[in-house]
């Protein structure tokens, strides 16, 4: 049973560029959440996708956008990269469950460096 | 002020020691509570859920005090393999995880 996978593992970009990160959820999961983890900090929620729609969003600017495909995989896009966007980007998958929390399983992350 | 506060540490303890981590949360509407473990340059993994009645999993005991908005994690008989960052996590909405900064634990021989 494959867990959550993310690609690429590492990425180096320059300021102003755009980046796309990819995530495949754990088998059987239909919900994907994205988190940003800066060095020395805990992960911060970016947004969550379910049924190909953004279901919740954290306090991130519109430069951060996403997409979910019919096979439940997801992309995170960041436009006009800033130095402060350098971080580990984590994808987590789960089963949507209404008011009941279901465990989120994290992928290994994509480490983005913006120069 | 951060919604979930933790002492960042590091906590340096010898093998066999007992160590306790504390965490406070500011939003009384928080619904679910967890401890996650994160090894260096790896993804977070769920260690255990936290309930008001307290719960124990081997050497690990977690406790929630809703009145004080306080969460604790106790590790007994520390092992070298316990060295990691321990993240306190709460949820308000159904699935959005709110993480603390994490507390780093280093267990030495």
């Amino acid at each position: 049973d494959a867990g959550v996978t993310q690609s690429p593992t590492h990425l180096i970009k320059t300021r102003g560029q755009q980046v796309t990160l990819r995530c495949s959820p754990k088998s059987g999961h239909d919900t994907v959440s994205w988190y940003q983890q800066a060095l020395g900090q805990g992960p911060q929620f970016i947004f969550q996708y379910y049924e190909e729609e953004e279901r919740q969003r954290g306090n991130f600017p519109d430069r951060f956008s996403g997409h979910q495909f019919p096979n439940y995989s997801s992309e995170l896009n960041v436009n006009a990269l800033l130095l402060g966007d350098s971080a580990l980007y984590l994808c987590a998958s789960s089963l949507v469950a209404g008011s009941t929390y279901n465990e989120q399983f994290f992928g290994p992350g994509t480490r983005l460096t913006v120069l | 002020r951060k919604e979930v506060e933790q002492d960042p540490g590091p906590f340096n303890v010898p093998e066999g020691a007992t160590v306790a981590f504390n965490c406070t949360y500011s939003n009384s509407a928080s619904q679910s509570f967890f401890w996650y473990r994160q090894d260096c340059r790896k993804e977070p993994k769920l260690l255990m859920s936290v309930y008001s009645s307290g719960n124990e999993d081997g050497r690990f005991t977690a406790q929630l005090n809703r009145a004080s908005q306080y969460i604790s994690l106790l590790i007994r008989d520390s092992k070298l393999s316990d060295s990691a960052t321990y993240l306190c996590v709460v949820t308000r909405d159904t699935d959005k995880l709110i993480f603390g900064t994490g507390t780093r634990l280093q267990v030495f021989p």
Side-chain angles (χ1 to χ4, degrees), chain B residues 13-29:
Chain B
V13 302
E15 276 186 291
T18 295
V19 61
F21 303 140
N22 303 317
C23 164
T24 58
Y25 60 96
S26 60
N27 195 316
S28 59

Side-chain angles (χ1 to χ4, degrees), chain A residues 76-94:
Chain A
L76 164 65
N77 300 292
V78 187
N79 293 323
L81 284 167
L82 303 174
L83 294 178
D85 294 332
S86 295
L88 179 67
Y89 288 84
L90 294 160
C91 168
S93 75
S94 59

Side-chain angles (χ1 to χ4, degrees), chain B residues 48-65:
Chain B
M48 59 199 306
S49 301
V50 189
Y51 308 110
S52 298
S53 55
N55 51 312
E56 188 173 311
D57 183 3
R59 298 181 292 108
F60 298 82
T61 301
Q63 191 76 48
L64 165 67
N65 184 320

Side-chain angles (χ1 to χ4, degrees), chain A residues 19-113:
Chain A
V19 68
T20 298
L21 310 181
R22 295 175 177 83
C23 170
S24 291
K26 185 176 167 66
S27 178
H29 285 180
D30 56 9
T31 302
V32 173
S33 302
W34 286 92
Y35 294 82
Q36 180 197 65
Q37 186 173 23
L39 196 62
Q41 301 296 315
Q44 287 196 60
F45 176 78
I46 303 175
F47 42 52
Q48 183 184 81
Y49 277 84
Y50 169 67
E51 290 189 338
E52 302 179 50
E53 290 191 358
E54 186 180 287
R55 187 167 172 247
Q56 294 187 75
R57 188 178 182 93
N59 189 25
F60 279 80
D62 292 343
R63 299 187 296 109
F64 289 76
S65 63
H67 189 78
Q68 186 179 34
F69 299 94
N71 67 353
Y72 308 121
S73 67
S74 177
E75 287 182 349
L76 164 65
N77 300 292
V78 187
N79 293 323
L81 284 167
L82 303 174
L83 294 178
D85 294 332
S86 295
L88 179 67
Y89 288 84
L90 294 160
C91 168
S93 75
S94 59
L95 275 172
V96 72
S99 61
T100 303
Y101 174 77
N102 271 342
E103 182 180 351
Q104 294 186 28
F105 292 81
F106 285 84
T110 294
R111 192 163 297 279
L112 172 66
T113 302

